[in-house]
């Protein structure tokens, strides 16, 4: 499930984007406001590069999970955001609620993030005897509610076809 909301105070995890640059990984727009500058230093120490598909888990100041996902080099387009959100959804297995603070300046980016999260969190569990953890509920801090709704409808139908 993905929601567009401005209230992001209660979450088990925060997902931020990391951009690949020649000087090393740099937090994507929006991430610094959420976490501060000290995360960039931690990413460099851990050997993060910011390449597409890279996922690094960190512990935040409050003890919560910080998931840094690579967005590749700039410019960051909708496809890179979709891939990053999908990787984040898979890495958030067992987390109940996450704030997805990837750069979402317009409705197209918001829709890409929501679609990626919903498609990435899909699992086919009909014949499984063990119970897989449900995907994390994602909250995208944005006023573009219609984009989240479009992504939800699209992803639900794609996942139904997968099933």
């Amino acid at each position: 499930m993905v929601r567009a909301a401005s209230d992001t105070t209660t979450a088990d995890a925060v997902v931020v984007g990391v951009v690949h640059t020649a000087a090393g990984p740099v937090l994507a727009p929006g991430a610094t406001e959420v976490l501060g500058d000290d995360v960039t230093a931690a990413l460099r120490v851990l050997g993060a590069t910011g390449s597409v598909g890279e996922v690094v888990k960190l512990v935040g100041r409050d003890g919560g999970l910080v998931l840094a996902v690579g967005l590749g080099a700039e410019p960051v387009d909708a496809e890179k955001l979709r891939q990053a959100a999908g990787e984040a959804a898979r890495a958030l297995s067992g987390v109940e609620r996450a704030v997805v603070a990837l750069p979402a300046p317009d409705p197209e980016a918001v829709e890409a993030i929501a679609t990626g999260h919903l498609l990435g969190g899909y699992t086919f569990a009909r014949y499984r005897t063990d119970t897989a953890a449900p995907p994390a509920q994602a909250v995208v801090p944005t006023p573009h509610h219609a984009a989240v709704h479009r992504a939800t409808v699209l992803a639900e139908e794609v996942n139904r076809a997968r099933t």
Side-chain angles (χ1 to χ4, degrees):
M1 177 177 164
V2 175
R3 290 189 316 113
S6 57
D7 176 26
T8 58
T9 56
T10 57
D12 303 318
V14 176
V15 178
V16 296
V18 180
V19 177
H20 174 78
T21 67
V26 176
L27 289 177
T32 306
E33 292 82 3
V34 175
L35 300 172
D37 292 325
D38 55 343
V39 174
T40 303
L43 289 170
R44 289 181 179 162
V45 168
L46 292 171
T49 63
S51 59
V52 176
E54 180 181 61
V55 177
V56 178
K57 292 182 180 182
L58 302 165
V59 177
R61 291 181 187 163
D62 61 353
L65 175 65
V66 176
L67 194 70
V69 293
L71 298 173
E74 290 189 321
V76 176
D77 59 6
E79 184 56 31
K80 288 180 181 178
L81 290 170
R82 190 175 357 272
Q83 289 176 359
E87 291 294 333
R90 286 184 283 281
L92 288 171
S93 178
V95 173
E96 189 173 322
R97 185 168 189 239
V99 173
V100 181
L102 294 174
D106 55 34
E108 180 186 14
V110 172
E111 187 172 347
I113 292 167
T115 303
H117 179 80
L118 292 167
L119 294 177
Y122 171 81
T123 56
F124 180 75
R126 181 176 290 166
Y127 303 112
R128 292 179 66 165
T129 56
D130 61 334
T131 55
Q137 174 189 7
V139 177
V140 180
T142 182
H144 304 295
H145 297 277
V148 172
H149 178 71
R150 278 191 309 275
T152 301
V153 170
L154 173 71
E156 284 176 353
E157 294 307 314
V158 168
N159 288 340
R160 183 176 9 191
R162 287 173 162 178
T163 300

